[in-house]
mmCIF file with all atom_site columns, all heavy atoms in Angstrom:
data_model
loop_
_atom_site.group_PDB
_atom_site.id
_atom_site.type_symbol
_atom_site.label_atom_id
_atom_site.label_alt_id
_atom_site.label_comp_id
_atom_site.label_asym_id
_atom_site.label_entity_id
_atom_site.label_seq_id
_atom_site.pdbx_PDB_ins_code
_atom_site.Cartn_x
_atom_site.Cartn_y
_atom_site.Cartn_z
_atom_site.occupancy
_atom_site.B_iso_or_equiv
_atom_site.pdbx_formal_charge
_atom_site.auth_seq_id
_atom_site.auth_comp_id
_atom_site.auth_asym_id
_atom_site.auth_atom_id
_atom_site.pdbx_PDB_model_num
ATOM 1   N N   . ARG A 1 1  ? 7.192   11.427  -8.501  1.00 0.00 ? 1  ARG A N   1
ATOM 2   C CA  . ARG A 1 1  ? 8.613   11.374  -8.195  1.00 0.00 ? 1  ARG A CA  1
ATOM 3   C C   . ARG A 1 1  ? 9.025   12.595  -7.360  1.00 0.00 ? 1  ARG A C   1
ATOM 4   O O   . ARG A 1 1  ? 8.713   13.729  -7.692  1.00 0.00 ? 1  ARG A O   1
ATOM 5   C CB  . ARG A 1 1  ? 9.414   11.341  -9.498  1.00 0.00 ? 1  ARG A CB  1
ATOM 6   C CG  . ARG A 1 1  ? 10.908  11.062  -9.312  1.00 0.00 ? 1  ARG A CG  1
ATOM 7   C CD  . ARG A 1 1  ? 11.596  11.090  -10.655 1.00 0.00 ? 1  ARG A CD  1
ATOM 8   N NE  . ARG A 1 1  ? 11.068  10.086  -11.561 1.00 0.00 ? 1  ARG A NE  1
ATOM 9   C CZ  . ARG A 1 1  ? 11.469  8.807   -11.583 1.00 0.00 ? 1  ARG A CZ  1
ATOM 10  N NH1 . ARG A 1 1  ? 12.415  8.400   -10.745 1.00 0.00 ? 1  ARG A NH1 1
ATOM 11  N NH2 . ARG A 1 1  ? 10.939  7.951   -12.453 1.00 0.00 ? 1  ARG A NH2 1
ATOM 12  N N   . GLY A 1 2  ? 9.704   12.339  -6.246  1.00 0.00 ? 2  GLY A N   1
ATOM 13  C CA  . GLY A 1 2  ? 10.208  13.407  -5.398  1.00 0.00 ? 2  GLY A CA  1
ATOM 14  C C   . GLY A 1 2  ? 9.244   13.923  -4.347  1.00 0.00 ? 2  GLY A C   1
ATOM 15  O O   . GLY A 1 2  ? 9.624   14.752  -3.522  1.00 0.00 ? 2  GLY A O   1
ATOM 16  N N   . GLU A 1 3  ? 8.002   13.441  -4.326  1.00 0.00 ? 3  GLU A N   1
ATOM 17  C CA  . GLU A 1 3  ? 7.035   13.933  -3.356  1.00 0.00 ? 3  GLU A CA  1
ATOM 18  C C   . GLU A 1 3  ? 6.932   12.981  -2.163  1.00 0.00 ? 3  GLU A C   1
ATOM 19  O O   . GLU A 1 3  ? 7.453   11.863  -2.172  1.00 0.00 ? 3  GLU A O   1
ATOM 20  C CB  . GLU A 1 3  ? 5.650   14.081  -3.992  1.00 0.00 ? 3  GLU A CB  1
ATOM 21  C CG  . GLU A 1 3  ? 4.880   12.774  -4.113  1.00 0.00 ? 3  GLU A CG  1
ATOM 22  C CD  . GLU A 1 3  ? 3.357   12.966  -4.230  1.00 0.00 ? 3  GLU A CD  1
ATOM 23  O OE1 . GLU A 1 3  ? 2.814   13.910  -3.635  1.00 0.00 ? 3  GLU A OE1 1
ATOM 24  O OE2 . GLU A 1 3  ? 2.724   12.136  -4.910  1.00 0.00 ? 3  GLU A OE2 1
ATOM 25  N N   . THR A 1 4  ? 6.241   13.432  -1.125  1.00 0.00 ? 4  THR A N   1
ATOM 26  C CA  . THR A 1 4  ? 5.830   12.576  -0.021  1.00 0.00 ? 4  THR A CA  1
ATOM 27  C C   . THR A 1 4  ? 4.320   12.468  -0.057  1.00 0.00 ? 4  THR A C   1
ATOM 28  O O   . THR A 1 4  ? 3.616   13.475  0.044   1.00 0.00 ? 4  THR A O   1
ATOM 29  C CB  . THR A 1 4  ? 6.262   13.144  1.336   1.00 0.00 ? 4  THR A CB  1
ATOM 30  O OG1 . THR A 1 4  ? 7.682   13.196  1.392   1.00 0.00 ? 4  THR A OG1 1
ATOM 31  C CG2 . THR A 1 4  ? 5.763   12.270  2.472   1.00 0.00 ? 4  THR A CG2 1
ATOM 32  N N   . LEU A 1 5  ? 3.830   11.239  -0.219  1.00 0.00 ? 5  LEU A N   1
ATOM 33  C CA  . LEU A 1 5  ? 2.402   10.978  -0.091  1.00 0.00 ? 5  LEU A CA  1
ATOM 34  C C   . LEU A 1 5  ? 2.173   10.389  1.285   1.00 0.00 ? 5  LEU A C   1
ATOM 35  O O   . LEU A 1 5  ? 2.759   9.362   1.644   1.00 0.00 ? 5  LEU A O   1
ATOM 36  C CB  . LEU A 1 5  ? 1.915   9.996   -1.157  1.00 0.00 ? 5  LEU A CB  1
ATOM 37  C CG  . LEU A 1 5  ? 0.449   9.566   -1.000  1.00 0.00 ? 5  LEU A CG  1
ATOM 38  C CD1 . LEU A 1 5  ? -0.493  10.737  -1.279  1.00 0.00 ? 5  LEU A CD1 1
ATOM 39  C CD2 . LEU A 1 5  ? 0.107   8.388   -1.909  1.00 0.00 ? 5  LEU A CD2 1
ATOM 40  N N   . GLY A 1 6  ? 1.339   11.047  2.075   1.00 0.00 ? 6  GLY A N   1
ATOM 41  C CA  . GLY A 1 6  ? 0.958   10.527  3.376   1.00 0.00 ? 6  GLY A CA  1
ATOM 42  C C   . GLY A 1 6  ? -0.281  9.657   3.252   1.00 0.00 ? 6  GLY A C   1
ATOM 43  O O   . GLY A 1 6  ? -1.275  10.072  2.649   1.00 0.00 ? 6  GLY A O   1
ATOM 44  N N   . LEU A 1 7  ? -0.208  8.447   3.795   1.00 0.00 ? 7  LEU A N   1
ATOM 45  C CA  . LEU A 1 7  ? -1.352  7.531   3.805   1.00 0.00 ? 7  LEU A CA  1
ATOM 46  C C   . LEU A 1 7  ? -1.782  7.378   5.256   1.00 0.00 ? 7  LEU A C   1
ATOM 47  O O   . LEU A 1 7  ? -1.050  6.810   6.077   1.00 0.00 ? 7  LEU A O   1
ATOM 48  C CB  . LEU A 1 7  ? -0.957  6.186   3.196   1.00 0.00 ? 7  LEU A CB  1
ATOM 49  C CG  . LEU A 1 7  ? -2.058  5.123   3.070   1.00 0.00 ? 7  LEU A CG  1
ATOM 50  C CD1 . LEU A 1 7  ? -3.233  5.643   2.226   1.00 0.00 ? 7  LEU A CD1 1
ATOM 51  C CD2 . LEU A 1 7  ? -1.494  3.832   2.477   1.00 0.00 ? 7  LEU A CD2 1
ATOM 52  N N   . VAL A 1 8  ? -2.936  7.908   5.572   1.00 0.00 ? 8  VAL A N   1
ATOM 53  C CA  . VAL A 1 8  ? -3.364  7.999   6.962   1.00 0.00 ? 8  VAL A CA  1
ATOM 54  C C   . VAL A 1 8  ? -4.679  7.257   7.153   1.00 0.00 ? 8  VAL A C   1
ATOM 55  O O   . VAL A 1 8  ? -5.531  7.223   6.267   1.00 0.00 ? 8  VAL A O   1
ATOM 56  C CB  . VAL A 1 8  ? -3.483  9.478   7.408   1.00 0.00 ? 8  VAL A CB  1
ATOM 57  C CG1 . VAL A 1 8  ? -4.575  10.198  6.632   1.00 0.00 ? 8  VAL A CG1 1
ATOM 58  C CG2 . VAL A 1 8  ? -3.702  9.593   8.906   1.00 0.00 ? 8  VAL A CG2 1
ATOM 59  N N   . GLY A 1 9  ? -4.822  6.665   8.331   1.00 0.00 ? 9  GLY A N   1
ATOM 60  C CA  . GLY A 1 9  ? -6.046  5.954   8.682   1.00 0.00 ? 9  GLY A CA  1
ATOM 61  C C   . GLY A 1 9  ? -5.826  5.196   9.971   1.00 0.00 ? 9  GLY A C   1
ATOM 62  O O   . GLY A 1 9  ? -4.690  5.001   10.413  1.00 0.00 ? 9  GLY A O   1
ATOM 63  N N   . GLU A 1 10 ? -6.912  4.733   10.571  1.00 0.00 ? 10 GLU A N   1
ATOM 64  C CA  . GLU A 1 10 ? -6.804  4.018   11.837  1.00 0.00 ? 10 GLU A CA  1
ATOM 65  C C   . GLU A 1 10 ? -6.181  2.645   11.616  1.00 0.00 ? 10 GLU A C   1
ATOM 66  O O   . GLU A 1 10 ? -6.064  2.169   10.480  1.00 0.00 ? 10 GLU A O   1
ATOM 67  C CB  . GLU A 1 10 ? -8.198  3.876   12.460  1.00 0.00 ? 10 GLU A CB  1
ATOM 68  C CG  . GLU A 1 10 ? -9.180  3.099   11.602  1.00 0.00 ? 10 GLU A CG  1
ATOM 69  C CD  . GLU A 1 10 ? -10.619 3.289   12.047  1.00 0.00 ? 10 GLU A CD  1
ATOM 70  O OE1 . GLU A 1 10 ? -10.845 4.003   13.035  1.00 0.00 ? 10 GLU A OE1 1
ATOM 71  O OE2 . GLU A 1 10 ? -11.514 2.719   11.397  1.00 0.00 ? 10 GLU A OE2 1
ATOM 72  N N   . SER A 1 11 ? -5.772  2.006   12.690  1.00 0.00 ? 11 SER A N   1
ATOM 73  C CA  . SER A 1 11 ? -5.203  0.663   12.612  1.00 0.00 ? 11 SER A CA  1
ATOM 74  C C   . SER A 1 11 ? -6.214  -0.295  11.983  1.00 0.00 ? 11 SER A C   1
ATOM 75  O O   . SER A 1 11 ? -7.407  -0.256  12.305  1.00 0.00 ? 11 SER A O   1
ATOM 76  C CB  . SER A 1 11 ? -4.826  0.170   14.009  1.00 0.00 ? 11 SER A CB  1
ATOM 77  O OG  . SER A 1 11 ? -3.813  0.974   14.565  1.00 0.00 ? 11 SER A OG  1
ATOM 78  N N   . GLY A 1 12 ? -5.730  -1.136  11.076  1.00 0.00 ? 12 GLY A N   1
ATOM 79  C CA  . GLY A 1 12 ? -6.609  -2.081  10.395  1.00 0.00 ? 12 GLY A CA  1
ATOM 80  C C   . GLY A 1 12 ? -7.311  -1.532  9.182   1.00 0.00 ? 12 GLY A C   1
ATOM 81  O O   . GLY A 1 12 ? -8.140  -2.226  8.573   1.00 0.00 ? 12 GLY A O   1
ATOM 82  N N   . SER A 1 13 ? -6.963  -0.308  8.772   1.00 0.00 ? 13 SER A N   1
ATOM 83  C CA  . SER A 1 13 ? -7.651  0.290   7.625   1.00 0.00 ? 13 SER A CA  1
ATOM 84  C C   . SER A 1 13 ? -7.122  -0.204  6.285   1.00 0.00 ? 13 SER A C   1
ATOM 85  O O   . SER A 1 13 ? -7.739  0.050   5.253   1.00 0.00 ? 13 SER A O   1
ATOM 86  C CB  . SER A 1 13 ? -7.541  1.825   7.686   1.00 0.00 ? 13 SER A CB  1
ATOM 87  O OG  . SER A 1 13 ? -6.188  2.234   7.659   1.00 0.00 ? 13 SER A OG  1
ATOM 88  N N   . GLY A 1 14 ? -5.972  -0.887  6.286   1.00 0.00 ? 14 GLY A N   1
ATOM 89  C CA  . GLY A 1 14 ? -5.436  -1.422  5.036   1.00 0.00 ? 14 GLY A CA  1
ATOM 90  C C   . GLY A 1 14 ? -4.183  -0.744  4.549   1.00 0.00 ? 14 GLY A C   1
ATOM 91  O O   . GLY A 1 14 ? -3.675  -1.049  3.470   1.00 0.00 ? 14 GLY A O   1
ATOM 92  N N   . LYS A 1 15 ? -3.628  0.171   5.344   1.00 0.00 ? 15 LYS A N   1
ATOM 93  C CA  . LYS A 1 15 ? -2.464  0.947   4.910   1.00 0.00 ? 15 LYS A CA  1
ATOM 94  C C   . LYS A 1 15 ? -1.258  0.055   4.631   1.00 0.00 ? 15 LYS A C   1
ATOM 95  O O   . LYS A 1 15 ? -0.588  0.200   3.601   1.00 0.00 ? 15 LYS A O   1
ATOM 96  C CB  . LYS A 1 15 ? -2.106  1.993   5.982   1.00 0.00 ? 15 LYS A CB  1
ATOM 97  C CG  . LYS A 1 15 ? -3.238  2.922   6.373   1.00 0.00 ? 15 LYS A CG  1
ATOM 98  C CD  . LYS A 1 15 ? -2.795  3.998   7.345   1.00 0.00 ? 15 LYS A CD  1
ATOM 99  C CE  . LYS A 1 15 ? -2.204  3.471   8.643   1.00 0.00 ? 15 LYS A CE  1
ATOM 100 N NZ  . LYS A 1 15 ? -3.173  2.710   9.459   1.00 0.00 ? 15 LYS A NZ  1
ATOM 101 N N   . SER A 1 16 ? -0.962  -0.859  5.553   1.00 0.00 ? 16 SER A N   1
ATOM 102 C CA  . SER A 1 16 ? 0.202   -1.730  5.371   1.00 0.00 ? 16 SER A CA  1
ATOM 103 C C   . SER A 1 16 ? 0.001   -2.700  4.211   1.00 0.00 ? 16 SER A C   1
ATOM 104 O O   . SER A 1 16 ? 0.973   -3.092  3.559   1.00 0.00 ? 16 SER A O   1
ATOM 105 C CB  . SER A 1 16 ? 0.495   -2.505  6.659   1.00 0.00 ? 16 SER A CB  1
ATOM 106 O OG  . SER A 1 16 ? 0.913   -1.626  7.683   1.00 0.00 ? 16 SER A OG  1
ATOM 107 N N   . THR A 1 17 ? -1.241  -3.065  3.947   1.00 0.00 ? 17 THR A N   1
ATOM 108 C CA  . THR A 1 17 ? -1.514  -3.918  2.789   1.00 0.00 ? 17 THR A CA  1
ATOM 109 C C   . THR A 1 17 ? -1.152  -3.206  1.500   1.00 0.00 ? 17 THR A C   1
ATOM 110 O O   . THR A 1 17 ? -0.558  -3.803  0.591   1.00 0.00 ? 17 THR A O   1
ATOM 111 C CB  . THR A 1 17 ? -3.005  -4.328  2.777   1.00 0.00 ? 17 THR A CB  1
ATOM 112 O OG1 . THR A 1 17 ? -3.286  -5.095  3.953   1.00 0.00 ? 17 THR A OG1 1
ATOM 113 C CG2 . THR A 1 17 ? -3.338  -5.148  1.538   1.00 0.00 ? 17 THR A CG2 1
ATOM 114 N N   . VAL A 1 18 ? -1.466  -1.933  1.413   1.00 0.00 ? 18 VAL A N   1
ATOM 115 C CA  . VAL A 1 18 ? -1.090  -1.145  0.233   1.00 0.00 ? 18 VAL A CA  1
ATOM 116 C C   . VAL A 1 18 ? 0.432   -1.115  0.089   1.00 0.00 ? 18 VAL A C   1
ATOM 117 O O   . VAL A 1 18 ? 0.973   -1.301  -1.009  1.00 0.00 ? 18 VAL A O   1
ATOM 118 C CB  . VAL A 1 18 ? -1.649  0.291   0.343   1.00 0.00 ? 18 VAL A CB  1
ATOM 119 C CG1 . VAL A 1 18 ? -1.074  1.192   -0.749  1.00 0.00 ? 18 VAL A CG1 1
ATOM 120 C CG2 . VAL A 1 18 ? -3.173  0.264   0.260   1.00 0.00 ? 18 VAL A CG2 1
ATOM 121 N N   . ALA A 1 19 ? 1.130   -0.920  1.206   1.00 0.00 ? 19 ALA A N   1
ATOM 122 C CA  . ALA A 1 19 ? 2.595   -0.899  1.163   1.00 0.00 ? 19 ALA A CA  1
ATOM 123 C C   . ALA A 1 19 ? 3.145   -2.222  0.655   1.00 0.00 ? 19 ALA A C   1
ATOM 124 O O   . ALA A 1 19 ? 4.056   -2.250  -0.191  1.00 0.00 ? 19 ALA A O   1
ATOM 125 C CB  . ALA A 1 19 ? 3.149   -0.600  2.555   1.00 0.00 ? 19 ALA A CB  1
ATOM 126 N N   . ARG A 1 20 ? 2.614   -3.318  1.129   1.00 0.00 ? 20 ARG A N   1
ATOM 127 C CA  . ARG A 1 20 ? 3.124   -4.632  0.733   1.00 0.00 ? 20 ARG A CA  1
ATOM 128 C C   . ARG A 1 20 ? 2.810   -4.947  -0.723  1.00 0.00 ? 20 ARG A C   1
ATOM 129 O O   . ARG A 1 20 ? 3.573   -5.648  -1.388  1.00 0.00 ? 20 ARG A O   1
ATOM 130 C CB  . ARG A 1 20 ? 2.557   -5.705  1.660   1.00 0.00 ? 20 ARG A CB  1
ATOM 131 C CG  . ARG A 1 20 ? 3.077   -5.584  3.090   1.00 0.00 ? 20 ARG A CG  1
ATOM 132 C CD  . ARG A 1 20 ? 2.644   -6.746  3.958   1.00 0.00 ? 20 ARG A CD  1
ATOM 133 N NE  . ARG A 1 20 ? 3.186   -6.618  5.308   1.00 0.00 ? 20 ARG A NE  1
ATOM 134 C CZ  . ARG A 1 20 ? 2.503   -6.205  6.370   1.00 0.00 ? 20 ARG A CZ  1
ATOM 135 N NH1 . ARG A 1 20 ? 1.226   -5.874  6.225   1.00 0.00 ? 20 ARG A NH1 1
ATOM 136 N NH2 . ARG A 1 20 ? 3.064   -6.111  7.547   1.00 0.00 ? 20 ARG A NH2 1
ATOM 137 N N   . MET A 1 21 ? 1.699   -4.413  -1.231  1.00 0.00 ? 21 MET A N   1
ATOM 138 C CA  . MET A 1 21 ? 1.409   -4.610  -2.654  1.00 0.00 ? 21 MET A CA  1
ATOM 139 C C   . MET A 1 21 ? 2.410   -3.859  -3.519  1.00 0.00 ? 21 MET A C   1
ATOM 140 O O   . MET A 1 21 ? 2.864   -4.368  -4.546  1.00 0.00 ? 21 MET A O   1
ATOM 141 C CB  . MET A 1 21 ? -0.034  -4.176  -2.967  1.00 0.00 ? 21 MET A CB  1
ATOM 142 C CG  . MET A 1 21 ? -1.089  -5.118  -2.421  1.00 0.00 ? 21 MET A CG  1
ATOM 143 S SD  . MET A 1 21 ? -2.771  -4.825  -3.070  1.00 0.00 ? 21 MET A SD  1
ATOM 144 C CE  . MET A 1 21 ? -3.130  -3.192  -2.426  1.00 0.00 ? 21 MET A CE  1
ATOM 145 N N   . ILE A 1 22 ? 2.762   -2.643  -3.124  1.00 0.00 ? 22 ILE A N   1
ATOM 146 C CA  . ILE A 1 22 ? 3.751   -1.873  -3.880  1.00 0.00 ? 22 ILE A CA  1
ATOM 147 C C   . ILE A 1 22 ? 5.097   -2.581  -3.876  1.00 0.00 ? 22 ILE A C   1
ATOM 148 O O   . ILE A 1 22 ? 5.782   -2.671  -4.910  1.00 0.00 ? 22 ILE A O   1
ATOM 149 C CB  . ILE A 1 22 ? 3.888   -0.455  -3.304  1.00 0.00 ? 22 ILE A CB  1
ATOM 150 C CG1 . ILE A 1 22 ? 2.583   0.325   -3.482  1.00 0.00 ? 22 ILE A CG1 1
ATOM 151 C CG2 . ILE A 1 22 ? 5.041   0.297   -3.986  1.00 0.00 ? 22 ILE A CG2 1
ATOM 152 C CD1 . ILE A 1 22 ? 2.558   1.658   -2.751  1.00 0.00 ? 22 ILE A CD1 1
ATOM 153 N N   . LEU A 1 23 ? 5.481   -3.114  -2.719  1.00 0.00 ? 23 LEU A N   1
ATOM 154 C CA  . LEU A 1 23 ? 6.760   -3.799  -2.583  1.00 0.00 ? 23 LEU A CA  1
ATOM 155 C C   . LEU A 1 23 ? 6.778   -5.170  -3.256  1.00 0.00 ? 23 LEU A C   1
ATOM 156 O O   . LEU A 1 23 ? 7.845   -5.783  -3.379  1.00 0.00 ? 23 LEU A O   1
ATOM 157 C CB  . LEU A 1 23 ? 7.109   -3.957  -1.101  1.00 0.00 ? 23 LEU A CB  1
ATOM 158 C CG  . LEU A 1 23 ? 7.475   -2.674  -0.356  1.00 0.00 ? 23 LEU A CG  1
ATOM 159 C CD1 . LEU A 1 23 ? 7.398   -2.894  1.151   1.00 0.00 ? 23 LEU A CD1 1
ATOM 160 C CD2 . LEU A 1 23 ? 8.869   -2.198  -0.756  1.00 0.00 ? 23 LEU A CD2 1
ATOM 161 N N   . GLY A 1 24 ? 5.629   -5.649  -3.676  1.00 0.00 ? 24 GLY A N   1
ATOM 162 C CA  . GLY A 1 24 ? 5.555   -6.974  -4.289  1.00 0.00 ? 24 GLY A CA  1
ATOM 163 C C   . GLY A 1 24 ? 5.621   -8.107  -3.286  1.00 0.00 ? 24 GLY A C   1
ATOM 164 O O   . GLY A 1 24 ? 5.887   -9.252  -3.649  1.00 0.00 ? 24 GLY A O   1
ATOM 165 N N   . LEU A 1 25 ? 5.342   -7.809  -2.014  1.00 0.00 ? 25 LEU A N   1
ATOM 166 C CA  . LEU A 1 25 ? 5.387   -8.831  -0.979  1.00 0.00 ? 25 LEU A CA  1
ATOM 167 C C   . LEU A 1 25 ? 4.100   -9.642  -0.939  1.00 0.00 ? 25 LEU A C   1
ATOM 168 O O   . LEU A 1 25 ? 4.105   -10.785 -0.447  1.00 0.00 ? 25 LEU A O   1
ATOM 169 C CB  . LEU A 1 25 ? 5.647   -8.183  0.391   1.00 0.00 ? 25 LEU A CB  1
ATOM 170 C CG  . LEU A 1 25 ? 6.974   -7.433  0.518   1.00 0.00 ? 25 LEU A CG  1
ATOM 171 C CD1 . LEU A 1 25 ? 7.084   -6.785  1.895   1.00 0.00 ? 25 LEU A CD1 1
ATOM 172 C CD2 . LEU A 1 25 ? 8.153   -8.361  0.264   1.00 0.00 ? 25 LEU A CD2 1
ATOM 173 N N   . ILE A 1 26 ? 3.004   -9.067  -1.392  1.00 0.00 ? 26 ILE A N   1
ATOM 174 C CA  . ILE A 1 26 ? 1.750   -9.807  -1.546  1.00 0.00 ? 26 ILE A CA  1
ATOM 175 C C   . ILE A 1 26 ? 1.148   -9.461  -2.904  1.00 0.00 ? 26 ILE A C   1
ATOM 176 O O   . ILE A 1 26 ? 1.374   -8.376  -3.436  1.00 0.00 ? 26 ILE A O   1
ATOM 177 C CB  . ILE A 1 26 ? 0.732   -9.490  -0.425  1.00 0.00 ? 26 ILE A CB  1
ATOM 178 C CG1 . ILE A 1 26 ? 0.386   -7.996  -0.384  1.00 0.00 ? 26 ILE A CG1 1
ATOM 179 C CG2 . ILE A 1 26 ? 1.242   -9.961  0.927   1.00 0.00 ? 26 ILE A CG2 1
ATOM 180 C CD1 . ILE A 1 26 ? -0.721  -7.658  0.594   1.00 0.00 ? 26 ILE A CD1 1
ATOM 181 N N   . GLU A 1 27 ? 0.392   -10.399 -3.451  1.00 0.00 ? 27 GLU A N   1
ATOM 182 C CA  . GLU A 1 27 ? -0.273  -10.185 -4.738  1.00 0.00 ? 27 GLU A CA  1
ATOM 183 C C   . GLU A 1 27 ? -1.696  -9.687  -4.511  1.00 0.00 ? 27 GLU A C   1
ATOM 184 O O   . GLU A 1 27 ? -2.437  -10.261 -3.716  1.00 0.00 ? 27 GLU A O   1
ATOM 185 C CB  . GLU A 1 27 ? -0.334  -11.478 -5.546  1.00 0.00 ? 27 GLU A CB  1
ATOM 186 C CG  . GLU A 1 27 ? 0.957   -11.889 -6.196  1.00 0.00 ? 27 GLU A CG  1
ATOM 187 C CD  . GLU A 1 27 ? 0.730   -13.003 -7.216  1.00 0.00 ? 27 GLU A CD  1
ATOM 188 O OE1 . GLU A 1 27 ? -0.393  -13.555 -7.277  1.00 0.00 ? 27 GLU A OE1 1
ATOM 189 O OE2 . GLU A 1 27 ? 1.685   -13.311 -7.946  1.00 0.00 ? 27 GLU A OE2 1
ATOM 190 N N   . PRO A 1 28 ? -2.100  -8.629  -5.200  1.00 0.00 ? 28 PRO A N   1
ATOM 191 C CA  . PRO A 1 28 ? -3.511  -8.243  -5.166  1.00 0.00 ? 28 PRO A CA  1
ATOM 192 C C   . PRO A 1 28 ? -4.383  -9.335  -5.804  1.00 0.00 ? 28 PRO A C   1
ATOM 193 O O   . PRO A 1 28 ? -3.899  -10.147 -6.599  1.00 0.00 ? 28 PRO A O   1
ATOM 194 C CB  . PRO A 1 28 ? -3.554  -6.955  -6.003  1.00 0.00 ? 28 PRO A CB  1
ATOM 195 C CG  . PRO A 1 28 ? -2.133  -6.501  -6.118  1.00 0.00 ? 28 PRO A CG  1
ATOM 196 C CD  . PRO A 1 28 ? -1.292  -7.732  -6.037  1.00 0.00 ? 28 PRO A CD  1
ATOM 197 N N   . ASP A 1 29 ? -5.656  -9.336  -5.464  1.00 0.00 ? 29 ASP A N   1
ATOM 198 C CA  . ASP A 1 29 ? -6.605  -10.214 -6.156  1.00 0.00 ? 29 ASP A CA  1
ATOM 199 C C   . ASP A 1 29 ? -6.865  -9.694  -7.569  1.00 0.00 ? 29 ASP A C   1
ATOM 200 O O   . ASP A 1 29 ? -7.117  -10.471 -8.497  1.00 0.00 ? 29 ASP A O   1
ATOM 201 C CB  . ASP A 1 29 ? -7.940  -10.278 -5.402  1.00 0.00 ? 29 ASP A CB  1
ATOM 202 C CG  . ASP A 1 29 ? -7.787  -10.814 -3.990  1.00 0.00 ? 29 ASP A CG  1
ATOM 203 O OD1 . ASP A 1 29 ? -6.790  -11.525 -3.732  1.00 0.00 ? 29 ASP A OD1 1
ATOM 204 O OD2 . ASP A 1 29 ? -8.642  -10.502 -3.151  1.00 0.00 ? 29 ASP A OD2 1
ATOM 205 N N   . SER A 1 30 ? -6.817  -8.372  -7.711  1.00 0.00 ? 30 SER A N   1
ATOM 206 C CA  . SER A 1 30 ? -7.095  -7.741  -8.996  1.00 0.00 ? 30 SER A CA  1
ATOM 207 C C   . SER A 1 30 ? -6.488  -6.348  -8.991  1.00 0.00 ? 30 SER A C   1
ATOM 208 O O   . SER A 1 30 ? -6.025  -5.852  -7.968  1.00 0.00 ? 30 SER A O   1
ATOM 209 C CB  . SER A 1 30 ? -8.611  -7.652  -9.236  1.00 0.00 ? 30 SER A CB  1
ATOM 210 O OG  . SER A 1 30 ? -9.231  -6.902  -8.200  1.00 0.00 ? 30 SER A OG  1
ATOM 211 N N   . GLY A 1 31 ? -6.498  -5.714  -10.163 1.00 0.00 ? 31 GLY A N   1
ATOM 212 C CA  . GLY A 1 31 ? -5.935  -4.378  -10.297 1.00 0.00 ? 31 GLY A CA  1
ATOM 213 C C   . GLY A 1 31 ? -4.500  -4.439  -10.772 1.00 0.00 ? 31 GLY A C   1
ATOM 214 O O   . GLY A 1 31 ? -3.949  -5.513  -11.045 1.00 0.00 ? 31 GLY A O   1
ATOM 215 N N   . THR A 1 32 ? -3.869  -3.273  -10.862 1.00 0.00 ? 32 THR A N   1
ATOM 216 C CA  . THR A 1 32 ? -2.484  -3.194  -11.317 1.00 0.00 ? 32 THR A CA  1
ATOM 217 C C   . THR A 1 32 ? -1.672  -2.332  -10.349 1.00 0.00 ? 32 THR A C   1
ATOM 218 O O   . THR A 1 32 ? -2.197  -1.406  -9.725  1.00 0.00 ? 32 THR A O   1
ATOM 219 C CB  . THR A 1 32 ? -2.367  -2.587  -12.727 1.00 0.00 ? 32 THR A CB  1
ATOM 220 O OG1 . THR A 1 32 ? -2.952  -1.272  -12.733 1.00 0.00 ? 32 THR A OG1 1
ATOM 221 C CG2 . THR A 1 32 ? -3.066  -3.455  -13.759 1.00 0.00 ? 32 THR A CG2 1
#
């Protein structure tokens, strides 16, 4: 809470997928 986490990587590395999982826009296959 209150921090900035930077998620860095080249295009296609999966960064936006992580964002969409947090937002609940896509369902993971597994995990929480």
Side-chain angles (χ1 to χ4, degrees):
R1 189 181 300 276
E3 80 158 327
T4 297
L5 174 68
L7 183 58
V8 65
E10 61 195 359
S11 296
S13 60
K15 305 185 302 296
S16 293
T17 298
V18 170
R20 293 187 179 102
M21 288 192 295
I22 295 171
L23 290 163
L25 298 177
I26 59 174
E27 284 193 351
D29 300 337
S30 59
T32 58

